[in-house]
Amino acid sequence: MTNDVTTTVEVDLDMIAEQVWSAFLNGGEEETIFAAPDTGAPVDLAASVAMVGAYEGHLVVSCSHKASRDVASVLFAMEPDEVTTDDVGDALGELANVLGGNVKSVLPSPSQLSLPRVSATGHERWPGTVEVCRTVVRWRDEPYVVTLLSGGPSNNAQGV
Amino acid sequence: MLGIVIDDSRAMRKILRGLLADLDYEVLEAGNGREALNVLESTGRVPDLALVDWNMPEMTGLEFVIEVRKISEMRQMTLMMVTTESEHGQIVRALAAGAHEYVIKPFTRDGIIDKLALLGLVPAGVS
C-alpha cells in the first residue's frame, strides 16, 4: 500500500494545527503564527504517535525545552518553572495525540493510533519513513514543528 | 453530581476535572479503563457521568464501555467519549457499545457543556 496523500494532508495539517492550538493552548488569545516560516531552529524534544493500518506513518511534534515547558504550563495551569519532566512528557504527548488523531481522520481508514512517545530528538528515529508534509506553529515566540511521516517497518516490507 | 474522568493524560484529566468542578461536580479520576473499574468498585458509588478517552494503555475506553455496561448497577451512568478517535466506524462502535455521547478532541469548554446540558447533566443555576 502506498501513502499518496501529500497534497490533501498538507492543506489539512495547517488547519488542524490551528484548531488544536486555538482550542488547547489559548492560540486565539496570544500571538500565534500558523504556517510560520521554518527557520530550522534547533529542537530538543520530539513527541510522536504512530499510525498503523490503512495508513502507515507517524505524526511528530518537535520543539525546544522552553517550548515544551510552555505547553505543560498551560495544560497544567502552572508556571513554566514549576512543571516537572513528567508534566512536560505528559503534555507534549497529549499534544501529539490530539494532532495525530485529527490528522488520522483525513487519512485512509481504518487505522489505529499508538500511545504517544516523547524523547530527546537526538535519540528518536523513524527508520524507513519519508516526510509527507510539515507545518510550523510559532507560539510564545517559540517554533513547534509538526511533521507527518509516511512509511515504517510494515511499509518497508512492501517496498514503499 | 458525581463524575469520573478516565484518561491516561494527567493534563487532560486536570482540564476535564476543572470543567466538571466548575459545574459543581464531585470528580473521580482514573488513568485507564481497568483503573476506572477498580475505582468504581472500591468507592461503591455510581457516577452520574463518565468522560472516557479511547486510546489508553491496559484497557481502552471502548473496552471500558463494554465492561461497565455489563454491570446492572452502573446502567444509569451516562458515558461520554472524549477522544481523538474520529473515524465514523469507531464512533458507531462506541455508541453501539453503550456510549451516550461523543466529543472529539480538541474540544471547547462550551462544546462539552452544551452536550451535558442536552443530556440534563448541568445542574440548575450552574453554567
Side-chain angles (χ1 to χ4, degrees), chain B residues 2-77:
Chain B
L2 179 65
I4 181 168
V5 177
I6 309 167
D7 197 305
D8 57 328
S9 166
R10 289 185 297 108
M12 191 54 57
R13 292 205 302 272
K14 182 165 185 175
I15 290 169
L16 292 171
R17 167 187 275 276
L19 190 156
L20 292 182
D22 287 346
L23 298 175
D24 282 349
Y25 275 74
E26 181 185 351
V27 186
L28 306 172
E29 290 186 25
N32 61 62
R34 177 63 58 200
E35 190 179 320
L37 290 174
N38 292 339
V39 167
L40 296 178
E41 183 177 4
S42 64
T43 61
R45 302 175 68 187
V46 180
D48 301 284
L49 169 70
L51 302 181
V52 188
D53 186 22
W54 186 302
N55 197 16
M56 296 181 287
E58 196 169 343
M59 178 184 278
T60 68
L62 178 62
E63 290 166 342
F64 169 79
V65 170
I66 291 169
E67 287 302 310
V68 83
R69 279 288 170 252
K70 295 176 183 172
I71 305 171
S72 58
E73 294 83 3
M74 295 287 166
R75 289 205 177 122
Q76 66 192 71
M77 178 168 59

Side-chain angles (χ1 to χ4, degrees), chain A residues 43-47 61-65 68-69 88 92 118-121:
Chain A
V43 293
D44 304 309
L45 295 173
V61 185
S62 306
C63 64
S64 69
H65 285 301
S68 67
R69 284 195 300 274
V88 167
L92 207 57
V118 181
S119 63
T121 49

Side-chain angles (χ1 to χ4, degrees), chain A residues 42-65:
Chain A
V43 293
D44 304 309
L45 295 173
S48 66
V49 288
M51 286 164 265
V52 180
Y55 185 86
E56 302 273 348
H58 303 262
L59 188 287
V60 185
V61 185
S62 306
C63 64
S64 69
H65 285 301

Side-chain angles (χ1 to χ4, degrees), chain A residues 104-160:
Chain A
K104 185 170 82 72
S105 72
V106 298
L107 295 171
S109 64
S111 296
Q112 285 76 49
L113 206 64
S114 75
L115 296 173
R117 287 169 49 100
V118 181
S119 63
T121 49
H123 297 134
E124 193 63 277
R125 296 283 185 274
W126 297 273
T129 62
V130 295
E131 181 175 317
V132 175
C133 60
R134 68 165 56 194
T135 190
V136 178
V137 178
R138 183 167 282 277
W139 179 63
R140 294 186 171 182
D141 208 28
E142 287 283 336
Y144 298 77
V145 182
V146 182
T147 309
L148 179 63
L149 303 174
S150 174
S154 59
N155 269 13
N156 288 346
Q158 299 171 46
V160 176

